Amino acid sequence: MDRIYSAVMQQTLAPMTKLSESTICESFGVGRMKARRALLLLASQGIVELRSNRGAFVASPNQKDADEVFEARIHIEPSLTAQVAERIDAQGLKALTEHINKEKTAHLAENRQEIIRLSGEFHVLIATVSENGFLTRTLRELVTRTSLIVAMFGSGKPSCCRDDEHEKILEAIEARDAGRASDLAKEHLEHIRLDLDFTKSHKTEPDLVSLLRAD
């Protein structure tokens, strides 16, 4: 299941892609029961759609879905980021700083998949350093859904996150400036939303076995 999450996060597993039980079994070397349970769990989190008599497909969000996801994120992330700025310890700062350095390295290498993956994971890491397990799980689901939305309606740029915005958020956290951290987090989410174009959509056709096969 983590491999499917990663593929969605990296936008290499496109919306509307069929996920057959046999493909998952072949990719991971698991039985049909385990594959079925994984698909049911992903469906409960909105990552997969189960269609009667047709099977399982990677979810294909629409504009209403996008509006709901960003509304939820704007309710959660600015206040969570402010809380992190107020309470973060040295270990949390180290984790965020190391992550930003990885983002810079990926940009310098022009590694598109790594840029996309790290951009999404930054938001989950903010929740992780808050040490709130429920919010971490919630943010992971919302960020994964956002990756599907960007795959459908994004501009096609390497990352939906604008340059330096994560770094500025980290600077506000490091300065213990909760108000600025909150404002920057909200502005950042609004920028991601503004970069979407609902008049067009993108789709790729990956080789699922190669894509999902465990290393």
Side-chain angles (χ1 to χ4, degrees):
M1 190 178 75
D2 285 342
R3 183 57 62 90
I4 295 175
Y5 265 116
S6 296
V8 171
M9 287 281 284
Q10 294 173 355
Q11 296 173 23
T12 55
L13 187 55
M16 298 179 282
T17 302
K18 185 174 178 60
L19 294 173
S20 68
E21 289 180 10
S22 59
T23 298
I24 293 174
C25 292
E26 181 180 354
S27 301
F28 297 108
V30 298
R32 284 190 174 272
M33 188 62 69
K34 191 168 184 179
R36 192 170 296 127
R37 284 198 299 267
L39 289 173
L40 287 170
L41 181 57
L42 289 165
S44 73
Q45 297 170 348
I47 310 304
V48 165
E49 296 173 357
L50 301 178
R51 302 178 186 176
S52 180
N53 299 320
R54 294 188 61 197
F57 296 80
V58 177
S60 51
N62 55 32
Q63 184 170 354
K64 181 176 183 296
D65 297 325
D67 290 341
E68 290 177 351
V69 166
F70 279 96
E71 182 179 2
R73 291 188 66 175
I74 286 172
H75 276 301
I76 294 170
E77 290 188 61
S79 60
L80 178 62
T81 306
Q83 178 184 311
V84 168
E86 292 171 343
R87 303 179 185 178
I88 196 166
D89 58 15
Q91 184 177 354
L93 275 175
K94 183 174 183 287
L96 288 172
T97 301
E98 289 176 350
H99 187 91
I100 291 296
N101 289 336
K102 289 177 182 177
E103 287 193 27
K104 290 178 179 178
T105 299
H107 277 283
L108 287 172
E110 298 183 350
N111 186 334
R112 183 179 185 277
Q113 289 187 12
E114 191 71 354
I115 291 169
I116 292 170
R117 181 183 70 81
L118 291 168
S119 294
E121 286 186 358
F122 175 80
H123 296 268
V124 181
L125 185 58
I126 292 286
T128 301
V129 299
S130 78
E131 299 184 340
N132 185 316
F134 180 80
L135 283 176
T136 300
R137 291 190 296 273
T138 301
L139 255 297
R140 187 187 190 205
E141 180 178 331
L142 287 170
V143 168
T144 307
R145 291 193 189 197
T146 302
S147 292
L148 289 170
I149 291 164
V150 172
M152 288 283 289
F153 307 111
S155 63
K157 295 184 296 185
S159 172
C160 60
C161 296
R162 298 186 183 182
D163 290 347
D164 300 330
E165 290 193 348
H166 288 173
E167 190 171 1
K168 290 176 181 177
I169 292 170
L170 174 58
E171 289 171 357
I173 291 172
E174 193 169 14
R176 310 283 177 173
D177 190 338
R180 178 163 172 74
S182 176
D183 290 344
L184 287 171
K186 183 178 180 182
E187 289 174 10
H188 180 50
L189 291 170
E190 289 171 343
H191 289 163
I192 297 172
R193 175 65 175 78
L194 286 171
D195 281 342
L196 301 177
D197 181 356
F198 294 102
T199 66
K200 61 182 180 181
S201 63
H202 306 278
K203 185 182 178 183
T204 59
E205 295 289 350
D207 174 359
L208 287 186
V209 176
S210 299
L211 179 64
L212 299 177
R213 183 180 290 120
D215 295 329

